[in-house]
Each structure stands twice: as structure tokens, then as C-alpha cells.
Amino acid sequence: KFEMLKYEVRKPKLVCRKFWNSYNNLRKYMKKRIMSTISNKIISSKTGQPVTISRPYLRHIKDDSYQQPEQINVGYDFYQSIGSPKYIMAPMVKQSELAFRQLCRQYNTQLCYSPMIHSEVYTRPKNKKYSSSVFQTNKHDRPLIAQLCGNDPLIVLNAAQQLIESNNGQIDAIDLNCGCPQKIAQKGHYGAFLLDNVCTMNDQYEVLTIVRTLYDHLNIPITVKIRLLPHNIEKTILFAQQLQDN
């Protein structure tokens, strides 16, 4: 069937669309099979037990019964703990590697981000070249936040754990990318495209589940890069509050 579809790609766009739909469905099926076999092998860095995914809290716009969580100041406490940086180098793909970060630190940059790291590619056992080249650090490269992208909570968590362990814990926080606008992010459904329909309950649940899973099973803070939701400041603020709650 694959050989037949491969030759039909040269025909009209309808056939091409059928081919890519079949390919994507197969890819999603294999991804579920792989994750179902490794889910019990991912051990929480906090509890030492196999990872379980908790349902995140979804705050509503008019929620009078809501009470502020006790950890409301955790984010600002973390900011103070790394020296309250004012000059920050943002993550840039194929730019903000170790050498560039060291150069920026010489010019009074106080906090640096790593380039965006693709969680699914980073965790592939046969792709050591990518994992060894995409992220490097040393004892002088602090404070440092590593940025990950992805749409599956277990894969993102697995990548974060591998990243922390392989670098002897020399990472101050993990940042989830919900802001990348590139076409490759659209194709892989990550980055800013996680926020495409975030006004609906399903997409809120998707992003918040990733954040909650990282928070529950890592020993370092979690941050999220987001963009303004289209033409809706109120729901952007609500979404930021939901991220904070979880």
C-alpha cells in the first residue's frame, strides 16, 4: 500500500493529501505503541515511582470559589534565587549554543536560554548525534534554562530527565516552548501551534497536562513561553493564570 501511495503522490493534490493523512495516522499509531511500552519505565525524579499523569486544574473566567494556591510566589522566589536577572538572552534555534552564551555573558547577560530542543528527536535512542550537539554546558554557564518543545507529556518529561541527568543537574529550570511560529512547528503540532485553539477546553488540557506532568516529576522549576491569544487579552490572562495554578 505504501509503494502504491508513493507513486500516486505525483497525481492531483487530493491523492497527496490521502498519502500524507495515511502517513500521519501510521506515525501517530506507532508513537502510541512506543509510549505505551516505555511509560512504566519513566521514573519520577521527585517520587522515585513510575510516572502518572494528573488532571490539571482548569480555572474559569468567572470562578468565585477559586482560592489562590499556597505556592503563588514560587515563580518570583525562583527569579530572586538566580539573582533577579535584568539582562536575559532569549532562546534562538541554531544560535544560542554554549559558545554564543559565553560571549553574551561577557557583555553582562545575566540569564541565558538554550536553543529549542525537540523532545521527540532528543529521546530517540539512535539519534545520539542530535542529543550531543543540541545542548552543551559547563560550570560557568549559569544560570541557564533549557527550552523543550513537544506535545506529548511523557516524551517531554523523558527528554527533560535525560537532559538534566546527562548534564549533572547544571540546569536551573525547564522552559516549555509554546511560542515557535515556524512551519516545522505547525507540522509537528508544537510551539505556538499548541495555542491555536487554546480557547477550547481540549487544547487548554493538552498544554496544562504537559506543564503539570513536568511540575509533578521534576525537581527544578518549570516556565512556559507563550504568545498573546488572537484578539483576546482576557483569555490570554486566564490561560497564564491556569499555567501558574498547575
Side-chain angles (χ1 to χ4, degrees):
K1 184 177 179 181
F2 179 82
E3 292 294 326
M4 177 183 68
L5 288 171
K6 186 170 67 173
Y7 289 107
E8 288 181 350
V9 168
R10 298 180 182 178
K11 292 182 179 181
K13 291 183 179 180
L14 179 62
V15 178
C16 294
R17 192 176 297 117
K18 288 182 179 179
F19 167 76
W20 286 116
N21 287 341
S22 300
Y23 170 77
N24 286 328
N25 289 337
L26 176 62
R27 186 171 177 269
K28 289 178 182 178
Y29 170 76
M30 292 304 298
K31 180 179 175 180
K32 288 181 180 179
R33 287 287 301 273
I34 292 170
M35 290 312 301
S36 66
T37 60
I38 71 170
S39 59
N40 291 330
K41 297 180 182 179
I42 303 178
I43 305 300
S44 172
S45 300
K46 282 187 177 179
T47 65
Q49 301 296 322
V51 167
T52 56
I53 297 178
S54 303
R55 181 179 179 85
Y57 172 80
L58 295 179
R59 184 197 290 207
H60 300 285
I61 294 178
K62 296 181 179 179
D63 190 353
D64 298 330
S65 64
Y66 174 75
Q67 295 180 354
Q68 279 192 337
E70 294 181 359
Q71 67 272 21
I72 194 71
N73 291 322
V74 167
Y76 189 65
D77 292 342
F78 166 66
Y79 175 73
Q80 290 181 314
S81 72
I82 59 175
S84 302
K86 296 180 180 179
Y87 304 106
I88 301 171
M89 191 200 77
M92 296 174 285
V93 176
K94 296 184 179 180
Q95 296 295 330
S96 53
E97 281 84 0
L98 176 60
F100 186 70
R101 295 197 301 268
Q102 289 179 320
L103 177 64
C104 290
R105 290 185 190 277
Q106 293 179 12
Y107 290 91
N108 204 29
T109 298
Q110 299 164 328
L111 169 64
C112 290
Y113 281 76
S114 75
M116 182 183 70
I117 301 168
H118 196 298
S119 300
E120 187 176 352
V121 180
Y122 188 85
T123 54
R124 290 175 188 169
K126 296 182 179 181
N127 204 349
K128 294 182 178 180
K129 183 178 180 180
Y130 176 83
S131 59
S132 62
S133 62
V134 73
F135 185 86
Q136 297 174 341
T137 187
N138 58 38
K139 62 181 181 180
H140 304 293
D141 188 26
R142 303 289 293 276
L144 175 65
I145 298 179
Q147 187 184 81
L148 297 174
C149 70
N151 56 34
D152 187 291
L154 290 178
I155 292 179
V156 177
L157 174 63
N158 192 18
Q161 289 181 328
Q162 290 186 28
L163 196 63
I164 295 168
E165 291 172 4
S166 62
N167 292 279
N168 300 318
Q170 294 187 44
I171 299 171
D172 294 281
I174 293 293
D175 182 66
L176 177 66
N177 186 321
C178 292
C180 178
Q182 297 178 353
K183 289 185 178 180
I184 192 171
Q186 183 180 24
K187 182 178 178 181
H189 188 57
Y190 59 83
F193 300 95
L194 288 175
L195 306 180
D196 265 356
N197 300 309
V198 81
C199 294
T200 66
M201 191 66 71
N202 288 336
D203 282 312
Q204 284 185 7
Y205 183 78
E206 181 180 32
V207 177
L208 297 176
T209 300
I210 298 173
V211 175
R212 181 61 183 268
T213 302
L214 294 175
Y215 176 80
D216 284 346
H217 301 291
L218 294 179
N219 292 318
I220 60 176
I222 311 302
T223 65
V224 184
K225 174 186 177 181
I226 67 171
R227 294 181 179 272
L228 290 175
L229 301 183
H231 313 296
N232 203 320
I233 297 296
E234 185 180 18
K235 289 192 176 179
T236 301
I237 295 172
L238 173 66
F239 181 59
Q241 290 172 334
Q242 289 174 336
L243 290 170
Q244 176 180 269
D245 295 343
N246 285 279

mmCIF file of all heavy atoms in Angstrom, residues 128-160:
data_model
loop_
_atom_site.group_PDB
_atom_site.id
_atom_site.type_symbol
_atom_site.label_atom_id
_atom_site.label_comp_id
_atom_site.label_asym_id
_atom_site.label_seq_id
_atom_site.Cartn_x
_atom_site.Cartn_y
_atom_site.Cartn_z
ATOM 1 N N LYS A 128 21.979 9.915 18.753
ATOM 2 C CA LYS A 128 22.899 10.486 19.727
ATOM 3 C C LYS A 128 23.613 11.726 19.192
ATOM 4 O O LYS A 128 24.054 12.571 19.965
ATOM 5 C CB LYS A 128 23.927 9.434 20.155
ATOM 6 C CG LYS A 128 23.313 8.270 20.926
ATOM 7 C CD LYS A 128 24.370 7.288 21.381
ATOM 8 C CE LYS A 128 23.725 6.151 22.185
ATOM 9 N NZ LYS A 128 24.735 5.181 22.640
ATOM 10 N N LYS A 129 23.739 11.821 17.877
ATOM 11 C CA LYS A 129 24.397 12.985 17.291
ATOM 12 C C LYS A 129 23.620 14.256 17.622
ATOM 13 O O LYS A 129 24.207 15.281 17.981
ATOM 14 C CB LYS A 129 24.514 12.824 15.769
ATOM 15 C CG LYS A 129 25.262 13.965 15.081
ATOM 16 C CD LYS A 129 25.390 13.715 13.582
ATOM 17 C CE LYS A 129 26.127 14.866 12.911
ATOM 18 N NZ LYS A 129 26.262 14.656 11.440
ATOM 19 N N TYR A 130 22.303 14.191 17.512
ATOM 20 C CA TYR A 130 21.480 15.364 17.828
ATOM 21 C C TYR A 130 21.564 15.698 19.312
ATOM 22 O O TYR A 130 21.766 16.855 19.691
ATOM 23 C CB TYR A 130 20.032 15.105 17.445
ATOM 24 C CG TYR A 130 19.082 16.229 17.822
ATOM 25 C CD1 TYR A 130 18.937 17.341 17.000
ATOM 26 C CD2 TYR A 130 18.341 16.175 19.002
ATOM 27 C CE1 TYR A 130 18.072 18.379 17.339
ATOM 28 C CE2 TYR A 130 17.475 17.213 19.352
ATOM 29 C CZ TYR A 130 17.349 18.304 18.516
ATOM 30 O OH TYR A 130 16.506 19.325 18.866
ATOM 31 N N SER A 131 21.424 14.684 20.168
ATOM 32 C CA SER A 131 21.402 14.932 21.610
ATOM 33 C C SER A 131 22.730 15.468 22.125
ATOM 34 O O SER A 131 22.769 16.242 23.078
ATOM 35 C CB SER A 131 21.034 13.644 22.361
ATOM 36 O OG SER A 131 21.959 12.625 22.066
ATOM 37 N N SER A 132 23.834 15.079 21.479
ATOM 38 C CA SER A 132 25.149 15.551 21.933
ATOM 39 C C SER A 132 25.492 16.936 21.396
ATOM 40 O O SER A 132 26.289 17.657 22.002
ATOM 41 C CB SER A 132 26.236 14.556 21.513
ATOM 42 O OG SER A 132 26.290 14.447 20.092
ATOM 43 N N SER A 133 24.877 17.329 20.277
ATOM 44 C CA SER A 133 25.225 18.617 19.671
ATOM 45 C C SER A 133 24.248 19.731 20.021
ATOM 46 O O SER A 133 24.622 20.906 20.034
ATOM 47 C CB SER A 133 25.298 18.484 18.143
ATOM 48 O OG SER A 133 24.030 18.105 17.613
ATOM 49 N N VAL A 134 22.990 19.389 20.326
ATOM 50 C CA VAL A 134 21.975 20.429 20.517
ATOM 51 C C VAL A 134 22.126 21.128 21.862
ATOM 52 O O VAL A 134 21.714 22.272 22.024
ATOM 53 C CB VAL A 134 20.566 19.834 20.377
ATOM 54 C CG1 VAL A 134 20.199 18.981 21.600
ATOM 55 C CG2 VAL A 134 19.535 20.939 20.171
ATOM 56 N N PHE A 135 22.739 20.456 22.841
ATOM 57 C CA PHE A 135 22.868 21.080 24.164
ATOM 58 C C PHE A 135 24.209 20.730 24.793
ATOM 59 O O PHE A 135 24.539 19.567 24.971
ATOM 60 C CB PHE A 135 21.731 20.625 25.091
ATOM 61 C CG PHE A 135 21.752 21.321 26.431
ATOM 62 C CD1 PHE A 135 21.125 22.542 26.598
ATOM 63 C CD2 PHE A 135 22.404 20.758 27.513
ATOM 64 C CE1 PHE A 135 21.150 23.192 27.826
ATOM 65 C CE2 PHE A 135 22.429 21.396 28.738
ATOM 66 C CZ PHE A 135 21.798 22.624 28.893
ATOM 67 N N GLN A 136 24.967 21.763 25.129
ATOM 68 C CA GLN A 136 26.224 21.621 25.857
ATOM 69 C C GLN A 136 26.306 22.737 26.879
ATOM 70 O O GLN A 136 25.788 23.838 26.663
ATOM 71 C CB GLN A 136 27.427 21.686 24.905
ATOM 72 C CG GLN A 136 27.473 20.568 23.887
ATOM 73 C CD GLN A 136 28.590 20.760 22.879
ATOM 74 O OE1 GLN A 136 29.098 21.857 22.714
ATOM 75 N NE2 GLN A 136 28.953 19.679 22.212
ATOM 76 N N THR A 137 26.960 22.471 27.996
ATOM 77 C CA THR A 137 27.100 23.491 29.019
ATOM 78 C C THR A 137 28.357 23.213 29.841
ATOM 79 O O THR A 137 29.031 22.197 29.662
ATOM 80 C CB THR A 137 25.857 23.534 29.935
ATOM 81 O OG1 THR A 137 25.967 24.651 30.822
ATOM 82 C CG2 THR A 137 25.694 22.272 30.737
ATOM 83 N N ASN A 138 28.678 24.142 30.746
ATOM 84 C CA ASN A 138 29.780 23.955 31.683
ATOM 85 C C ASN A 138 29.453 24.666 32.985
ATOM 86 O O ASN A 138 28.390 25.293 33.113
ATOM 87 C CB ASN A 138 31.109 24.450 31.090
ATOM 88 C CG ASN A 138 31.063 25.911 30.680
ATOM 89 O OD1 ASN A 138 30.453 26.746 31.360
ATOM 90 N ND2 ASN A 138 31.702 26.239 29.570
ATOM 91 N N LYS A 139 30.344 24.593 33.955
ATOM 92 C CA LYS A 139 30.051 25.134 35.291
ATOM 93 C C LYS A 139 29.940 26.661 35.305
ATOM 94 O O LYS A 139 29.376 27.234 36.239
ATOM 95 C CB LYS A 139 31.137 24.688 36.277
ATOM 96 C CG LYS A 139 32.537 25.177 35.944
ATOM 97 C CD LYS A 139 33.530 24.671 36.970
ATOM 98 C CE LYS A 139 34.941 25.166 36.661
ATOM 99 N NZ LYS A 139 35.920 24.663 37.665
ATOM 100 N N HIS A 140 30.480 27.331 34.286
ATOM 101 C CA HIS A 140 30.395 28.792 34.230
ATOM 102 C C HIS A 140 29.127 29.274 33.527
ATOM 103 O O HIS A 140 28.833 30.470 33.538
ATOM 104 C CB HIS A 140 31.620 29.352 33.505
ATOM 105 C CG HIS A 140 32.917 28.932 34.122
ATOM 106 N ND1 HIS A 140 33.320 29.342 35.370
ATOM 107 C CD2 HIS A 140 33.910 28.118 33.645
ATOM 108 C CE1 HIS A 140 34.502 28.813 35.662
ATOM 109 N NE2 HIS A 140 34.878 28.063 34.633
ATOM 110 N N ASP A 141 28.387 28.353 32.937
ATOM 111 C CA ASP A 141 27.211 28.702 32.140
ATOM 112 C C ASP A 141 25.956 28.689 33.008
ATOM 113 O O ASP A 141 25.027 27.911 32.790
ATOM 114 C CB ASP A 141 27.089 27.705 30.979
ATOM 115 C CG ASP A 141 26.022 28.086 29.975
ATOM 116 O OD1 ASP A 141 25.717 29.285 29.865
ATOM 117 O OD2 ASP A 141 25.491 27.181 29.298
ATOM 118 N N ARG A 142 25.915 29.535 33.996
ATOM 119 C CA ARG A 142 24.796 29.609 34.932
ATOM 120 C C ARG A 142 24.446 31.056 35.226
ATOM 121 O O ARG A 142 25.324 31.905 35.195
ATOM 122 C CB ARG A 142 25.154 28.903 36.253
ATOM 123 C CG ARG A 142 25.573 27.453 36.090
ATOM 124 C CD ARG A 142 24.459 26.528 35.718
ATOM 125 N NE ARG A 142 23.461 26.367 36.743
ATOM 126 C CZ ARG A 142 23.580 25.501 37.755
ATOM 127 N NH1 ARG A 142 24.654 24.745 37.862
ATOM 128 N NH2 ARG A 142 22.610 25.406 38.637
ATOM 129 N N PRO A 143 23.174 31.359 35.550
ATOM 130 C CA PRO A 143 22.008 30.465 35.481
ATOM 131 C C PRO A 143 21.614 30.163 34.040
ATOM 132 O O PRO A 143 21.821 30.980 33.146
ATOM 133 C CB PRO A 143 20.924 31.243 36.210
ATOM 134 C CG PRO A 143 21.318 32.669 36.086
ATOM 135 C CD PRO A 143 22.802 32.691 36.061
ATOM 136 N N LEU A 144 21.019 28.983 33.838
ATOM 137 C CA LEU A 144 20.696 28.501 32.497
ATOM 138 C C LEU A 144 19.342 27.806 32.519
ATOM 139 O O LEU A 144 19.069 26.982 33.391
ATOM 140 C CB LEU A 144 21.780 27.522 32.028
ATOM 141 C CG LEU A 144 21.545 26.817 30.697
ATOM 142 C CD1 LEU A 144 21.535 27.814 29.541
ATOM 143 C CD2 LEU A 144 22.612 25.747 30.460
ATOM 144 N N ILE A 145 18.501 28.134 31.548
ATOM 145 C CA ILE A 145 17.198 27.476 31.380
ATOM 146 C C ILE A 145 17.205 26.736 30.048
ATOM 147 O O ILE A 145 17.545 27.316 29.014
ATOM 148 C CB ILE A 145 16.045 28.492 31.417
ATOM 149 C CG1 ILE A 145 16.007 29.186 32.787
ATOM 150 C CG2 ILE A 145 14.705 27.810 31.135
ATOM 151 C CD1 ILE A 145 14.910 30.222 32.921
ATOM 152 N N ALA A 146 16.861 25.458 30.076
ATOM 153 C CA ALA A 146 16.801 24.640 28.860
ATOM 154 C C ALA A 146 15.374 24.645 28.330
ATOM 155 O O ALA A 146 14.434 24.376 29.082
ATOM 156 C CB ALA A 146 17.252 23.217 29.153
ATOM 157 N N GLN A 147 15.227 24.948 27.044
ATOM 158 C CA GLN A 147 13.894 25.014 26.450
ATOM 159 C C GLN A 147 13.595 23.763 25.629
ATOM 160 O O GLN A 147 14.384 23.361 24.774
ATOM 161 C CB GLN A 147 13.746 26.240 25.547
ATOM 162 C CG GLN A 147 12.320 26.424 25.057
ATOM 163 C CD GLN A 147 12.169 27.568 24.080
ATOM 164 O OE1 GLN A 147 12.456 27.419 22.912
ATOM 165 N NE2 GLN A 147 11.709 28.715 24.570
ATOM 166 N N LEU A 148 12.433 23.153 25.905
ATOM 167 C CA LEU A 148 11.982 21.964 25.192
ATOM 168 C C LEU A 148 10.708 22.270 24.426
ATOM 169 O O LEU A 148 9.913 23.123 24.826
ATOM 170 C CB LEU A 148 11.710 20.816 26.176
ATOM 171 C CG LEU A 148 12.899 20.290 26.973
ATOM 172 C CD1 LEU A 148 12.429 19.269 27.997
ATOM 173 C CD2 LEU A 148 13.943 19.673 26.051
ATOM 174 N N CYS A 149 10.503 21.560 23.321
ATOM 175 C CA CYS A 149 9.243 21.640 22.595
ATOM 176 C C CYS A 149 8.689 20.238 22.428
ATOM 177 O O CYS A 149 9.432 19.257 22.421
ATOM 178 C CB CYS A 149 9.432 22.319 21.238
ATOM 179 S SG CYS A 149 10.366 21.331 20.043
ATOM 180 N N GLY A 150 7.381 20.145 22.295
ATOM 181 C CA GLY A 150 6.735 18.855 22.113
ATOM 182 C C GLY A 150 5.271 18.957 22.473
ATOM 183 O O GLY A 150 4.812 19.979 22.987
ATOM 184 N N ASN A 151 4.527 17.888 22.221
ATOM 185 C CA ASN A 151 3.094 17.894 22.532
ATOM 186 C C ASN A 151 2.660 16.679 23.338
ATOM 187 O O ASN A 151 1.485 16.529 23.638
ATOM 188 C CB ASN A 151 2.259 17.981 21.252
ATOM 189 C CG ASN A 151 2.586 16.869 20.264
ATOM 190 O OD1 ASN A 151 2.902 15.753 20.656
ATOM 191 N ND2 ASN A 151 2.513 17.170 18.982
ATOM 192 N N ASP A 152 3.613 15.812 23.701
ATOM 193 C CA ASP A 152 3.287 14.624 24.481
ATOM 194 C C ASP A 152 3.922 14.744 25.866
ATOM 195 O O ASP A 152 5.136 14.900 25.969
ATOM 196 C CB ASP A 152 3.802 13.372 23.776
ATOM 197 C CG ASP A 152 3.353 12.098 24.461
ATOM 198 O OD1 ASP A 152 3.837 11.830 25.588
ATOM 199 O OD2 ASP A 152 2.546 11.355 23.892
ATOM 200 N N PRO A 153 3.144 14.694 26.959
ATOM 201 C CA PRO A 153 3.698 14.900 28.293
ATOM 202 C C PRO A 153 4.819 13.942 28.653
ATOM 203 O O PRO A 153 5.830 14.348 29.235
ATOM 204 C CB PRO A 153 2.484 14.693 29.212
ATOM 205 C CG PRO A 153 1.295 14.811 28.367
ATOM 206 C CD PRO A 153 1.694 14.469 26.973
ATOM 207 N N LEU A 154 4.660 12.651 28.305
ATOM 208 C CA LEU A 154 5.673 11.666 28.677
ATOM 209 C C LEU A 154 6.971 11.860 27.904
ATOM 210 O O LEU A 154 8.064 11.711 28.451
ATOM 211 C CB LEU A 154 5.130 10.252 28.455
ATOM 212 C CG LEU A 154 4.021 9.807 29.412
ATOM 213 C CD1 LEU A 154 3.557 8.414 29.049
ATOM 214 C CD2 LEU A 154 4.501 9.853 30.849
ATOM 215 N N ILE A 155 6.864 12.194 26.625
ATOM 216 C CA ILE A 155 8.074 12.407 25.823
ATOM 217 C C ILE A 155 8.809 13.654 26.299
ATOM 218 O O ILE A 155 10.042 13.648 26.436
ATOM 219 C CB ILE A 155 7.710 12.525 24.332
ATOM 220 C CG1 ILE A 155 7.204 11.184 23.796
ATOM 221 C CG2 ILE A 155 8.924 12.979 23.518
ATOM 222 C CD1 ILE A 155 6.797 11.213 22.340
ATOM 223 N N VAL A 156 8.074 14.736 26.583
ATOM 224 C CA VAL A 156 8.718 15.957 27.074
ATOM 225 C C VAL A 156 9.375 15.706 28.427
ATOM 226 O O VAL A 156 10.504 16.144 28.683
ATOM 227 C CB VAL A 156 7.695 17.110 27.168
ATOM 228 C CG1 VAL A 156 8.351 18.359 27.747
ATOM 229 C CG2 VAL A 156 7.128 17.425 25.792
ATOM 230 N N LEU A 157 8.686 14.978 29.309
ATOM 231 C CA LEU A 157 9.265 14.646 30.616
ATOM 232 C C LEU A 157 10.506 13.785 30.463
ATOM 233 O O LEU A 157 11.528 14.013 31.125
ATOM 234 C CB LEU A 157 8.223 13.928 31.476
ATOM 235 C CG LEU A 157 8.728 13.397 32.819
ATOM 236 C CD1 LEU A 157 9.205 14.539 33.719
ATOM 237 C CD2 LEU A 157 7.647 12.575 33.518
ATOM 238 N N ASN A 158 10.435 12.791 29.598
ATOM 239 C CA ASN A 158 11.583 11.911 29.371
ATOM 240 C C ASN A 158 12.781 12.702 28.862
ATOM 241 O O ASN A 158 13.914 12.508 29.308
ATOM 242 C CB ASN A 158 11.201 10.822 28.368
ATOM 243 C CG ASN A 158 12.220 9.706 28.292
ATOM 244 O OD1 ASN A 158 13.045 9.535 29.189
ATOM 245 N ND2 ASN A 158 12.180 8.938 27.214
ATOM 246 N N ALA A 159 12.543 13.625 27.931
ATOM 247 C CA ALA A 159 13.625 14.466 27.404
ATOM 248 C C ALA A 159 14.212 15.344 28.505
ATOM 249 O O ALA A 159 15.439 15.503 28.603
ATOM 250 C CB ALA A 159 13.102 15.331 26.259
ATOM 251 N N ALA A 160 13.349 15.924 29.344
ATOM 252 C CA ALA A 160 13.830 16.779 30.431
ATOM 253 C C ALA A 160 14.689 15.996 31.413
ATOM 254 O O ALA A 160 15.753 16.468 31.843
ATOM 255 C CB ALA A 160 12.640 17.410 31.160
#
